[in-house]
Each structure stands twice: as C-alpha cells, then as structure tokens.
Amino acid sequence: MNRKIKKALKKPISNKIEIHVAPRNGKAARQVVAKWCDGTFVDEVNTEKAAAREKFVARLAIKMNLDNSDPTLVTVEDDLVEEAEKADAIAETAAKKGTQPEVDETAKALKETPTDVLELAKAFLSNPDLLEELADDFQKLGIAGEKELATIEYIIGTSRLLPKPLGGSVKSASSSGKSYVTEMVTSLFPPEVVITATDITPSALYYCQEGKLKNKLIVVGERRHTGSSDDAIAANATLALREMLSRGRLDKMVPMKTEGGEIRTQHIRQEGPIAYLETTTQQQIFEEDATRLLALATDESPQQTAAILEMQARQAAWKTASPQEQDAVRQKHQTAQRLLKKVKVRIKFAEHLKIPPISLAARRAYPQLLGCIEAVALLRQMTKTIREDGSVDARSSDYAIAYELMMPILRRTFAPLSERAVKLLGVIQVNAGTGKTFDRGDCAKWAGVGLTEVRHRLDSLIEAGCVEQLAGGKGVRYTYKFVSGKVVKTPGLSNLITPYALWEAITKPKKKSSAPEKASGKRKAFR
C-alpha cells in the first residue's frame, strides 16, 4: 500500500463501509452485504478468489459513485476474507452446538409477578370488551389515533402461539408514525418472546441459537432495500423469512471444515413458527414476501395529524399518563401474554365466510382472515371453554372483531393501487383534473408529502394509466397530466358475510331472518 493511500486512510471517512458475509451455502459464491451511511449494496461473491473480490469492489465503487482507487475501498477485499472466515466459524459452532437445557423464562417471570398485576392481567383477558380496554391502554402509551393499526399489530403478536402465526408489513411515508406505533405495541409483549432488530441479514435466521425462534415475535425496524432490481437477489435476501413464515421451520445444508481439515456437510435446523412485523417506506415490496404479510398502513389524514399534534402538546404539558402509569400498562399486558395458553382454534362457521375469487390474491387473503379469527379467539380464551384436547371454538363475536380489523386490509389486498397512490390521485383530480399540467412540486404541495414519496406514487399512477407523463429526464422538468375517464374501482367485498348475518346464520340456521342487517361494529349484541 503506497504512502498516499495510507495517509488518506488515517483521515475520518464519512462513507465507512460495513461488510457482512453469509456462511457457505454449498455454492462457490456467497451473499455479501455492503452498508455505508447512506446506502446498501447486496451481491454474490466467491470470497476465496481474488478476481471475484476485485470485481465486487469495482461494482461497489459504481454503486457508491467512487473511483476504484478511492481510499474508502482499499480495505474491502481484506474485509471480505475476514468476514467470510468469521461467518464460517459461527456457522460451524452453531452446527456443533447441541441442545442446551433452557430456563423457562415465562414460568419464572410469572412466579415473580406480584399478585395485583396477575389479577389485572386475568381481568383483562376475561373482559368481553377487552379491545376497548386495549384501546385505552394504547392512548396511555402515547399512541394518538391509529387504533386499528395498533390493534392488528397486537393481534399479530398474539398469533405467535398459533401453529401458523400472522405477519404484517406497515407501508407508509416517512414521519407517519409507523415506527412509534410498532415500538409501543411491541413493548406490551414479554421481552423473552420478542426479537427486535433494525436489520436482518439474509442468513441471520439460520444461525440463531437453536430454539430461539420458536413462537417468537420478530420485529424489524425497516425493510431492507436490496440495492438491485434483480429479482433473484431480492428473492434470496428474504428467503429464510419466507420459509419460516410459510413452513414454520428452516432447513439448510452447509459444507464445513472439520478440525482435521475435511469438508463435511452439516444440517442446520431452526424450529418456528414465528409472528413477524416490519415497517417500510417502500410503495411495493417483493411480491413473494407480500403474499405472506398483511398489508398494513398508518392514517395519513389531516385529522390524524391534528390528533398527533394534540397528543404531543399534552405530553409537553405533562397531561398524559405518567411513566409509572405506562409501566403498569406494560406489566399488565406482558403478564397477560405470559398467561395465554397455546390452544387450537376451531372455526365451525368457516364455510359461511366467502371471499370473492376475483384474483389469485384470494388464495392468500382467505387464510389470513382465518388466521386473524384464530388469533382473536386465542386472545379471548379466558371467555371460552378449553376442551381436554387443548382446543376452543371461535365465536361470531371473534369474527366481529376480525371483520373490523381485516376489511381495510382485504381492500388493500385486492385494490389495483395502494392507498397512498389513490390519495395522490384524489388531490391531482381536484387540482388538475381540468387538463392543467403539473409537476412533482405541485403534487408535493397538494398532498403534503416529500418529493421522493411523490415520485413513487406517480410511478404507480402512470403504470395504472391514471396519469400521463408529458416530459422529464436529464435536465428536463418532469410534467404530467391527469387522464380523465380512468376509474379506479374499489374492490367488491360485499359477499363477505357481516358479523350480524353470521350470528343469524349460526343461531337460526333453518329460518332466514327478514330483519335488516345490523352494523358490524355492534358486538355486544352477540357475544
């Protein structure tokens, strides 16, 4: 290394690169993730070959807009070799590690829980209107509005005890409050059942301590951007997550060196299942991931913004719940979650639930609806009879709750455009629906969002044919016009039975009621 480069390396580097290398997976190339302050680059590299390492550095330089000789890149090759060796050593240790006797942290925590907290937790689980109590507790934690989002996240976390738990992805613009809501809801679950990470590398789940993932809630702060449009790279980046969500376990064959230098294949197993939550600012996530996750969103309305500002003002004036009151709320819910038993849920009325088979999306939407009903019934198990085989029956009141939570999600599932794109289309139609041309700055002003968010939403509208791009490119301002006559149809879910109609079908199967259908929100009438 010449003196000039050595001298440069002593200076602080703003774009310091972190290299993460996956263990051997049976192929010559392995996955490599390079991260720096403002970007991520994912690639596959044979770290044992100098030529392959050099090509990786060249591709990374292009991604970072650097010259190949830039001092920032000098140590990357050595880091590749070093991180690969570390990854293989960790994988080998994991493969050799036998099952260790574990302390039942939940039983230990319950034994140490004060009697008054236990009573509060049992009272919550026995409350027929426990969701109303839950909404009050959300408010004490500083969650303004967002009752539906916070509740479905709580239900997803509870579903970790089911054979096939739920997963959800909160897709919303920056500063919309999605991270805060998710953080507060997650705090209501016992620490021993939650795994929180700001990022999960592609092979991380394989090499967790054996048994660590079983019936856990995994929360990821922000979905990874692959840094590439290559579908294969995007698919590999979340392969382990998809497998765990679909099958409830992971199996991987990994070649490793023995102490004698011989190469032998080790079988790595990870048992699940897991519940999963993530947040993202991306308009669209990888399709195979999307099919396994509930499409969640924050409320971006002016009314919700006003509610958040009011809550912030109340917090500044010390007119909200004290830290001690908030801690009491967390203790109650953590204890309640520890008291829940793994029960099997039978949905005797499942054949009454019809989702329109208008697209392949119905094949994933229907199991998600059933999973939500099961999770609600599991949470309300203390209001039911648990049979000797550890099973309970879901009731129409469980469906009433699931119906209210799932209807917005089902509409997003079947909708041709995201809610954010539809909102932008609405303001465009109001402000430029008469043939007036507009640009991205106009949209940002009308919708009250950033330019990057506007660009993503416009891309969706152009693809749907609702907006036409007139000009734009290098040095040329992007201009657009609204395409009149293009109608975005709201998905029809009218054939999905309402809670009251289901209650009538169950209680009066032989006599068709002539009474008008009642509002789905009135659950007290048919507990």
Side-chain angles (χ1 to χ4, degrees), residues 493-512:
L493 294 169
S494 57
N495 65 339
L496 181 59
I497 193 170
T498 64
Y500 185 76
L502 175 65
W503 175 76
E504 281 201 322
I506 293 172
T507 56
K508 304 174 184 178
K510 295 180 181 179
K511 184 178 180 181
K512 188 175 181 180

Side-chain angles (χ1 to χ4, degrees), residues 345-409:
V345 179
R346 178 175 63 172
I347 306 176
K348 294 174 65 175
F349 51 81
E351 292 180 346
H352 290 281
L353 311 180
K354 307 295 183 183
I355 286 182
I358 54 179
S359 70
L360 291 176
R363 300 185 185 184
R364 60 179 162 110
Y366 189 66
Q368 289 171 345
L369 173 62
L370 297 177
C372 186
I373 297 169
E374 290 175 353
V376 171
L378 186 148
L379 178 62
R380 304 175 77 221
Q381 61 184 246
M382 284 195 178
T383 66
K384 309 177 191 303
T385 300
I386 301 178
R387 289 184 285 267
E388 291 184 3
D389 64 352
S391 65
V392 299
D393 282 336
R395 298 175 183 165
S396 58
S397 54
D398 300 318
Y399 175 66
I401 294 171
Y403 179 90
E404 292 181 9
L405 294 173
M406 287 297 297
M407 281 299 284
I409 296 170

Side-chain angles (χ1 to χ4, degrees), residues 166-469:
L166 298 168
S169 179
V170 188
K171 292 183 279 188
S172 295
S174 297
S175 303
S176 63
K178 58 185 180 298
S179 298
Y180 182 79
V181 173
T182 302
E183 181 184 349
M184 290 300 100
V185 173
T186 302
S187 73
L188 298 178
F189 289 83
E192 70 269 14
V193 307
V194 179
I195 299 175
T196 303
T198 54
D199 181 33
I200 295 182
T201 57
S203 293
L205 296 181
Y206 290 108
Y207 301 104
C208 286
Q209 181 180 349
E210 188 175 346
K212 184 177 178 63
L213 300 179
K214 191 171 184 179
N215 298 122
K216 296 295 194 297
L217 168 60
I218 296 182
V219 183
V220 178
E222 182 66 28
R223 167 166 281 265
R224 170 187 291 275
H225 292 255
T226 62
S228 169
S229 59
D230 187 336
D231 285 346
I233 293 178
N236 288 333
T238 52
L239 173 62
L241 170 64
R242 290 196 304 279
E243 285 295 294
M244 184 59 88
L245 288 170
S246 297
R247 300 171 61 237
R249 68 179 186 278
L250 295 175
D251 289 277
K252 187 170 186 175
M253 307 297 285
V254 183
M256 295 183 181
K257 282 186 180 180
T258 64
E259 293 180 358
E262 183 181 0
I263 300 293
R264 288 189 179 177
T265 298
Q266 300 286 346
H267 188 181
I268 297 177
R269 295 184 180 89
Q270 276 292 355
E271 291 295 328
I274 63 167
Y276 179 78
L277 276 173
E278 69 174 22
T279 61
T280 182
T281 56
Q282 298 179 52
Q283 286 277 330
Q284 300 292 334
I285 63 176
F286 185 59
E287 180 62 22
E288 290 186 36
D289 296 342
T291 61
R292 292 162 172 82
L293 301 172
L294 297 178
L296 311 180
T298 56
D299 181 353
E300 298 180 13
S301 68
Q303 294 82 1
Q304 174 60 20
T305 300
I308 292 173
L309 296 178
E310 182 183 351
M311 176 64 75
Q312 291 171 341
R314 287 174 55 78
Q315 289 172 336
W318 293 10
K319 292 183 178 179
T320 54
S322 67
Q324 293 77 15
E325 289 174 307
Q326 293 182 345
D327 187 55
V329 167
R330 293 189 178 95
Q331 286 187 45
K332 178 181 75 175
H333 284 281
Q334 290 175 7
T335 302
Q337 288 291 326
R338 289 179 177 128
L339 288 170
L340 288 176
K341 298 177 181 179
K342 293 182 188 178
V343 295
K344 296 174 286 184
V345 179
R346 178 175 63 172
I347 306 176
K348 294 174 65 175
F349 51 81
E351 292 180 346
H352 290 281
L353 311 180
K354 307 295 183 183
I355 286 182
I358 54 179
S359 70
L360 291 176
R363 300 185 185 184
R364 60 179 162 110
Y366 189 66
Q368 289 171 345
L369 173 62
L370 297 177
C372 186
I373 297 169
E374 290 175 353
V376 171
L378 186 148
L379 178 62
R380 304 175 77 221
Q381 61 184 246
M382 284 195 178
T383 66
K384 309 177 191 303
T385 300
I386 301 178
R387 289 184 285 267
E388 291 184 3
D389 64 352
S391 65
V392 299
D393 282 336
R395 298 175 183 165
S396 58
S397 54
D398 300 318
Y399 175 66
I401 294 171
Y403 179 90
E404 292 181 9
L405 294 173
M406 287 297 297
M407 281 299 284
I409 296 170
L410 292 174
R411 290 193 181 100
R412 292 186 202 110
T413 299
F414 288 101
L417 286 172
S418 70
E419 284 182 304
R420 286 187 279 173
V422 171
K423 288 176 184 176
L424 181 60
L425 181 62
V427 297
I428 289 173
Q429 188 171 5
V430 170
N431 292 278
T434 56
K436 174 185 173 183
T437 61
F438 58 92
D439 60 19
R440 292 174 178 174
D442 293 327
C443 290
K445 180 176 64 176
W446 297 335
V449 296
L451 288 171
T452 300
E453 179 68 17
V454 163
R455 177 169 57 83
H456 291 318
R457 297 188 190 188
L458 282 172
D459 288 343
S460 297
L461 294 177
I462 292 169
E463 185 177 349
C466 301
V467 168
E468 180 183 348
Q469 181 179 321

Side-chain angles (χ1 to χ4, degrees), residues 48-61:
E48 296 180 0
K49 291 192 174 182
R53 296 196 299 268
E54 289 177 5
K55 290 179 180 178
F56 172 79
V57 174
R59 293 192 293 272
L60 180 59

